[in-house]
């Protein structure tokens, strides 16, 4: 397809959107609607000739000058994302509307946009489950904790840090909770804080990551990996933005010198050797939680 030299020169402009009538127009974003700034769109005609090139602004919006009427192929690329190709049809006015053009991270894994996210304890849960008598499970939760997630531009370099008040354990039984706070288990008087600090992330599948880090529990520090699922983002009623995560891991009690047990009958101990830990996390975008 031929277009006039003047139109071709205008349409080929790279950078911010033209100030006059627009041609191709789209917003480049992730599946959660986050802008992908500085994505680049290359427009070719039916003969394969490049007729326009444009870079998205900070809101992910890109536009070119008017195009000659007809079909075009648009290829959008951005660092860290898989390329996306779309077909656009320019009308008689030279406009071609693509709407939202969604890019997927390389490797098929997603995380929120870069920046700091603060864990909201009021809408999060830190739970642990232990087998009891070889028959059923005892469930406990920690009522007091805080954490911060920093998403890096290179998501593999993102970090997680969290602190849990050991004495805040609650299994619904005051006698059992007092025992769990004792030196037989959490030793909360001498080691009031359970801490976790990550050292890196590894993609583990679509929307899934393995978080590598160090857990300090009852004064003992061990390497502990978390299986993390990113559940998406959305606005909250207070004008902020929230991200949701779910993470799980399994701990061996003996790794943290929690060796107390009782044999209640031949071959059966009161408590199982492992603990299953489950984290349901909401984090607010920014350095601080919204006022209550």
């Amino acid at each position: 397809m031929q277009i006039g030299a003047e139109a071709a020169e205008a349409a080929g402009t790279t950078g911010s959107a033209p100030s006059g009538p627009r041609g191709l127009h789209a917003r480049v974003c992730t599946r959660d609607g986050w802008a992908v700034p500085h994505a680049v769109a290359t427009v070719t005609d039916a003969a394969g000739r490049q007729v326009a090139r444009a870079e998205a602004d900070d809101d992910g919006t890109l536009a070119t000058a008017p195009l000659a009427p007809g079909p075009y192929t648009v290829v959008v690329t951005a660092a860290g994302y898989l390329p996306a190709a779309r077909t656009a049809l320019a009308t008689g006015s030279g406009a071609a509307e693509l709407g939202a053009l969604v890019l997927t991270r390389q490797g098929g894994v997603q995380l929120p946009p870069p920046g700091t996210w603060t864990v909201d304890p009021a809408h999060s849960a830190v739970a642990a489950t232990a087998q009891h008598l070889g028959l059923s499970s005892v469930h406990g939760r920690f009522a007091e904790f805080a954490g911060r997630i920093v998403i890096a531009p290179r998501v593999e370099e993102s970090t997680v840090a969290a602190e849990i008040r050991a004495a805040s354990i609650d299994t619904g039984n005051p006698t059992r909770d007092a025992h769990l706070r004792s030196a037989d288990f959490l030793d909360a008087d001498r080691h009031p804080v359970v801490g976790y600090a990550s050292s890196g992330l590894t993609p583990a599948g679509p929307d899934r990551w393995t978080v590598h880090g160090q857990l300090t529990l009852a004064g003992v520090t061990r390497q502990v990996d978390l299986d993390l699922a990113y559940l998406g983002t959305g606005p909250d009623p207070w004008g902020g933005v929230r991200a949701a995560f779910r993470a799980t891991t399994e701990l061996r009690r003996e790794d943290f010198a929690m060796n107390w047990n009782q044999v209640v009958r031949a071959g059966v101990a009161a408590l199982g050797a492992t603990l299953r830990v489950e984290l349901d996390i909401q984090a607010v975008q920014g350095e601080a939680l919204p006022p209550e």
Side-chain angles (χ1 to χ4, degrees):
M1 175 177 293
Q2 298 291 329
I3 65 175
E6 181 179 350
E9 181 180 354
T13 300
T14 299
S16 59
S19 57
R22 67 191 181 192
L24 175 77
H25 182 262
R27 182 174 184 270
V28 187
C29 59
T30 68
R31 68 167 198 178
D32 293 323
W34 296 101
V36 181
H38 312 306
V40 174
T42 302
V43 184
T44 57
D45 62 18
R49 292 183 291 263
Q50 179 177 319
V51 298
R53 189 171 183 273
E55 182 176 317
D57 61 18
D58 290 342
D59 293 324
T61 300
L62 55 81
T64 71
L67 302 168
Y72 295 89
T73 297
V74 182
V75 177
V76 178
T77 58
Y81 293 85
L82 295 175
R86 294 276 292 274
T87 298
L89 183 64
T91 64
S93 67
E97 292 287 343
L98 279 183
L101 201 158
V102 177
L103 295 187
T104 301
R105 286 192 183 275
Q106 291 178 344
V109 289
Q110 301 283 343
L111 277 181
T116 299
W117 298 75
T118 301
V119 173
D120 179 5
H123 297 93
S124 302
V126 177
T129 303
Q131 191 178 44
H132 185 239
L133 300 178
L135 297 173
S136 60
S137 299
V138 173
H139 302 274
R141 294 181 58 166
F142 290 91
E144 299 177 26
F145 55 90
R148 179 165 294 185
I149 303 163
V150 179
I151 305 299
R154 292 189 57 192
V155 290
E156 293 82 1
E157 299 174 356
S158 302
T159 60
V160 177
E163 290 189 348
I164 302 166
R165 303 301 298 181
S168 70
I169 184 67
D170 181 5
T171 66
N173 183 300
T175 301
R176 180 169 55 214
D177 293 346
H179 190 194
L180 291 173
R181 296 183 187 108
S182 75
D184 285 340
F185 293 98
L186 295 169
D187 201 2
D189 287 340
R190 289 200 304 156
H191 305 289
V193 174
V194 178
Y196 187 80
S198 71
S199 56
L201 286 80
T202 302
D207 304 320
R208 304 193 70 86
W209 297 81
T210 298
V211 183
H212 311 286
Q214 299 280 320
L215 176 67
T216 300
L217 175 62
V220 179
T221 299
R222 293 282 186 268
Q223 177 73 29
V224 171
D225 291 345
L226 303 176
D227 295 324
L228 175 72
Y230 168 51
L231 306 180
T233 59
D236 66 21
W238 305 279
V241 176
R242 292 176 179 250
F245 306 87
R246 180 171 175 80
T248 60
T249 194
E250 191 169 277
L251 308 177
R252 292 186 59 83
R253 292 195 298 115
E254 66 180 19
D255 290 342
F256 297 91
M258 295 184 185
N259 298 312
W260 182 92
N261 217 331
Q262 287 180 316
V263 176
V264 293
R265 62 182 185 272
V268 178
L271 293 178
T274 61
L275 296 172
R276 180 169 177 80
V277 178
E278 298 178 338
L279 313 173
D280 288 295
I281 301 298
Q282 267 193 31
V284 180
Q285 189 178 35
E287 298 282 348
L289 296 172
E292 297 182 357

